[in-house]
Each structure stands twice: as structure tokens, then as C-alpha cells.
Amino acid sequence: MSNCVYELEANPGGSRFCFENGYLEVVCENSLVTDVPETDIESTNGLAILITGGWETKLTTEVYFPSINKGCSVPNYDLPGKVHTHTMNTFDNKTVFCGGGDFQSHCIELTPTSPYTVWTKYAYLQERRYEHTSWVSSAGLVLIGGYAPYSAKAETTAELVNGDILPFTLPPTRDACAIGDASSDSFILTGGKFTLAKVARYNLEGLVENLPDMNEGRSWHGCGSFNSAGKMVLIVAGGGSTEKFVIGESSWSYVGPLPKVMSIVTSLNINNKMYILGGRGTSDIDILTDILEYDADQDVWVKVGDMQVPRYRHAAAVISADFDNLCN
């Protein structure tokens, strides 16, 4: 067992996660689990939000099913090391988290199996990524920006996972939030520690256009979009405020505020709806469980549920799943 590199802090002596032949395998009760057939996550029914890691919850996962407003912890999906300040995306029937925590140099794929779950190495990265953002392009997953002290070029580069550094230079980009636009194969980069109120559209070749600045500078914020009357509408939210921008218009407008102070949140879209999950409140010990949904008709946030545990510096992605299989 000399190749084992991780043992779960929450379960010492239990399941361990090992690099073996270039990927992570689960070692259960000292017996190597191999040749377990994969389950296609697209074949299961229902959409769920998979929530992983966090600063104080770095080894754990849970799911939330918006359609039935229920969720649960998923011990079988416990993480193969400290996972926080990362990104997570679902694309091409894969769910992959990248960077952050113990995994700044690579991406790990969730490959559900029965009766075991394996976290598999998906890619090594060109640059160490931490406090970055991400976008799913037509060419694959792209990681954007990062934390320069961990990698000198991270803040000013974007890279195609399992590919190359993209051929353009970003302004220093850290703690920003990217909104994908599949219709133009581009992403809209909002805010960040150094870029604050700035908003710009990029594609795989570089800068496409600068968009109007937000009304206030933002970092560690949530972002998303929805379509309304054939137009793409952008939403950014963090601190206590929310702003909206309709593509083609000339300025951002304030809309319904968040129900409380929320920073270092995680956000995502499901079926033309935007969600914000968790984050930090008014102090370092005020960690949140809230799950909020944006009501586009009323321009307000509605609390629809709670996570199983408070989280910040976590990540979330949409997966196909069955509540009874995962939670009962």
C-alpha cells in the first residue's frame, strides 16, 4: 500500500484514496477495488446539485434536489483529500472538480460505481489553480485565473484542461465569477479581487468585448444568467446586493437584495434558474447553509432550502441522480 497518498481525516483507518496507474482508486478494508463497471450519470433520473468540500467541510459531499426540495449527505462520495477553493463542472457526461486545496495541480472526476465510488484523476494542470473560476467551452473545460503566490502565471492565464494555456493574457484575475454563453461559445468574466466592477467577454481566442461596469466592485460573489424574451440576462450577487444586466443594454441595475449578507458563495444554473448556496455571513464564524433561488419574474431571492452543513469556499455542479439511490 505504499502508493496511498490520502486517508480521510474524518474516517482514519477507513477508506483511503490512492494513485494507482495514474488515477485515484478506493482502497476498502485493505482490498483494492478494481474493474468495477462505471455508471453513466446521465442514465439516472432527476437533476440534483452536487455540493463538494469547503473550508471547514473539505472532505464531505452532499446533494440537493430542487424539484422536491430535499437533500442528504453522500458518504460514498467523500472526497479524496482536502477540497476547497476549487471549481466543479459537469460536461460530456462527466463531473470534474479542479484546483484548490490538495488538488491545485490537477482535476479529479467523479465516476460513480456500484457498490463503490471512485474519484479518478482527470488531468494535470499547466498552472496551479486556486481561487480561480471556470467555463465549459465547445473545446472542453477552461480554468480562468487563480492565485499568483501559488503559481506566478495563474492570475493572468486561462487554460484548456487536458490542453494548453489559451493564447491571450488576462488582467490579474482572482476570485472572479464567469458566466458561460453557449450561444457564442464565450464567457463573461465579472469582478474579482483586482478587477472589481469590470465585466468583459472572452472566447477561446481572447477578449471579445468589454461590457458596462457593474455598479459596485465585487469578488467572491455569485453569478449566473437566464433567458428572458429572447435576451440573455446576467445576475451578480454578493455582500447584500444583487445587480442585473440585459445583454444589449447600456448599464447594470440593482434588483432585489440578498436576504442577508453573503460572501464567498457558490452559484450555478439549472433549467434557466439561478441558485446561490452557502457562503460566509457577517463574520468568520458565521457560515451559512442557505440555498436561494432567483425569482426572475419578481427580481427577488427566495430561500428554498438548506444544505446539510454550513459551507463556504465550496463548489457545486448539476448531476443526474436519483434521490432514493443516493439518500435512502
Side-chain angles (χ1 to χ4, degrees):
M1 307 311 299
S2 61
N3 59 338
C4 283
V5 292
Y6 296 112
E7 181 173 66
L8 290 180
E9 293 177 354
N11 185 24
S15 296
R16 288 173 290 172
F17 296 79
C18 305
F19 278 111
E20 175 70 17
N21 298 325
Y23 59 93
L24 284 166
E25 279 190 283
V26 181
V27 178
C28 297
E29 298 176 352
N30 297 322
S31 298
L32 192 64
V33 179
T34 57
D35 300 325
V36 181
E38 287 191 4
T39 299
D40 182 354
I41 65 171
E42 290 295 314
S43 69
T44 56
N45 59 348
L47 291 178
I49 300 174
L50 177 65
I51 306 161
T52 58
W55 194 251
E56 303 294 342
T57 50
K58 56 185 72 73
L59 299 170
T60 66
T61 65
E62 59 180 277
V63 289
Y64 172 75
F65 290 78
S67 62
I68 58 175
N69 191 25
K70 292 183 179 180
C72 67
S73 298
V74 189
N76 285 344
Y77 288 10
D78 277 349
L79 296 161
K82 297 176 182 178
V83 178
H84 59 77
T85 328
H86 56 302
T87 54
M88 187 163 63
N89 302 84
T90 295
F91 60 100
D92 296 339
N93 296 335
K94 304 178 183 70
T95 299
V96 175
F97 75 77
C98 295
D102 287 341
F103 298 92
Q104 295 169 28
S105 297
H106 47 285
C107 298
I108 304 295
E109 180 184 354
L110 171 67
T111 51
T113 61
S114 180
Y116 303 105
T117 296
V118 177
W119 288 93
T120 305
K121 181 185 72 65
Y122 181 71
Y124 286 108
L125 301 178
Q126 301 286 330
E127 297 288 335
R128 295 165 67 92
R129 302 282 171 181
Y130 184 93
E131 299 185 20
H132 56 293
T133 187
S134 60
W135 162 56
V136 177
S137 74
S138 62
L141 179 60
V142 174
L143 305 184
I144 304 153
Y147 184 52
Y150 291 166
S151 181
K153 296 180 181 179
E155 285 183 356
T156 57
T157 61
E159 68 176 275
L160 181 65
V161 173
N162 277 326
D164 297 320
I165 298 292
L166 296 183
F168 57 88
T169 300
L170 294 164
T173 299
R174 174 174 152 197
D175 305 331
C177 193
I179 303 170
D181 181 2
S183 67
S184 61
D185 197 23
S186 66
F187 68 92
I188 297 164
L189 193 61
T190 66
K193 182 176 179 62
F194 308 110
T195 40
L196 293 173
K198 298 298 181 184
V199 183
R201 183 190 296 272
Y202 293 83
N203 61 20
L204 291 166
E205 300 301 319
L207 179 67
V208 176
E209 60 177 337
N210 289 305
L211 295 171
D213 287 0
M214 296 178 287
N215 289 304
E216 60 184 87
R218 300 178 184 275
S219 64
W220 287 115
H221 56 292
C223 67
S225 67
F226 59 89
N227 292 312
S228 177
K231 294 184 178 181
M232 184 179 186
V233 181
L234 311 183
I235 297 291
V236 294
S241 67
T242 306
E243 296 185 52
K244 177 172 76 171
F245 177 73
V246 180
I247 295 294
E249 295 189 355
S250 60
S251 64
W252 291 76
S253 59
Y254 284 106
V255 289
L258 292 164
K260 62 180 72 174
V261 172
M262 304 175 74
S263 64
I264 319 182
V265 300
T266 288
S267 57
L268 79 169
N269 281 73
I270 303 178
N271 291 336
N272 208 38
K273 294 182 179 180
M274 179 182 169
Y275 293 84
I276 279 180
L277 301 93
R280 192 173 67 188
T282 56
S283 72
D284 290 347
I285 61 173
D286 181 20
I287 311 306
L288 307 175
T289 61
D290 301 67
I291 300 174
L292 307 181
E293 179 184 310
Y294 188 74
D295 182 336
D297 294 328
Q298 302 296 321
D299 281 328
V300 296
W301 291 100
V302 179
K303 182 173 178 176
V304 294
D306 285 282
M307 296 185 293
Q308 301 298 302
V309 295
R311 296 179 189 269
Y312 76 111
R313 292 185 183 241
H314 53 301
V318 181
I319 62 170
S320 294
D322 179 85
F323 178 82
D324 288 335
N325 287 342
L326 282 182
C327 297
N328 291 331

